[in-house]
């Protein structure tokens, strides 16, 4: 169950990062509220996952899901650039996540 909590926490991290961008520095109330609510949800789920997962594993995977998810969402929804160096960086992050997951079992 901890891995499900961690996955959901990471997905909520992507949501709050995106809504924070849309909030325009917290000047737009609806995206700002979504940011705060999903942040709280993300942290709550991360804390549940950390009950049984090692700190380093849980935190690394949570931030990795958020980083790669925000990267993909930035490209798809915001038209951010796709460059070989950015793709390489994302692949390295995913590789690290896979290794971290493998090391936790």
């Amino acid at each position: 169950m901890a891995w499900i909590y961690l996955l959901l926490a990471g997905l909520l991290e992507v949501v709050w990062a995106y809504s924070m961008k849309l909030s325009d520095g917290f000047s737009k109330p609806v995206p700002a509220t979504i940011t705060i609510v999903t942040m709280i949800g993300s942290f709550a789920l991360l804390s549940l996952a950390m009950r049984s997962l090692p700190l380093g594993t849980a935190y690394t995977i949570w931030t990795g899901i958020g980083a790669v998810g925000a990267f993909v969402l930035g490209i798809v929804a915001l038209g951010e650039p796709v460059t070989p160096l950015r793709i390489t960086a994302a692949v390295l992050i995913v590789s690290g996540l896979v290794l971290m997951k493998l090391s936790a079992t």
Side-chain angles (χ1 to χ4, degrees), residues 20-22 24-25 28 34 40 51-52 60 62-63 65 74 82 87 105:
M20 184 183 289
K21 174 73 173 169
L22 297 180
D24 197 27
K28 296 179 181 173
I34 292 169
I40 292 168
R51 286 181 176 172
S52 59
T60 301
W62 177 71
T63 57
I65 292 169
V82 180
I87 296 294
T105 55

Side-chain angles (χ1 to χ4, degrees), residues 3-19 38-39 41-42 45-46 61-70 73:
W3 289 105
I4 293 169
Y5 290 147
L6 189 57
L7 175 64
L8 292 173
L11 294 174
L12 284 178
E13 186 182 6
V14 176
V15 173
W16 71 250
Y18 179 64
S19 61
T38 54
M39 274 183 170
S42 180
L45 288 167
L46 176 61
I61 290 177
W62 177 71
T63 57
I65 292 169
V68 173
L73 193 57

Side-chain angles (χ1 to χ4, degrees), residues 3 100-105:
W3 289 105
M100 191 60 75
K101 167 68 171 99
L102 291 174
S103 72
T105 55

Side-chain angles (χ1 to χ4, degrees), residues 23-72:
S23 79
D24 197 27
F26 285 91
S27 65
K28 296 179 181 173
V30 171
T33 302
I34 292 169
T35 300
I36 292 166
V37 169
T38 54
M39 274 183 170
I40 292 168
S42 180
F43 287 129
L45 288 167
L46 176 61
S47 73
L48 291 174
M50 285 183 169
R51 286 181 176 172
S52 59
L53 296 175
L55 167 68
T57 301
Y59 187 74
T60 301
I61 290 177
W62 177 71
T63 57
I65 292 169
V68 173
F71 167 73
V72 171

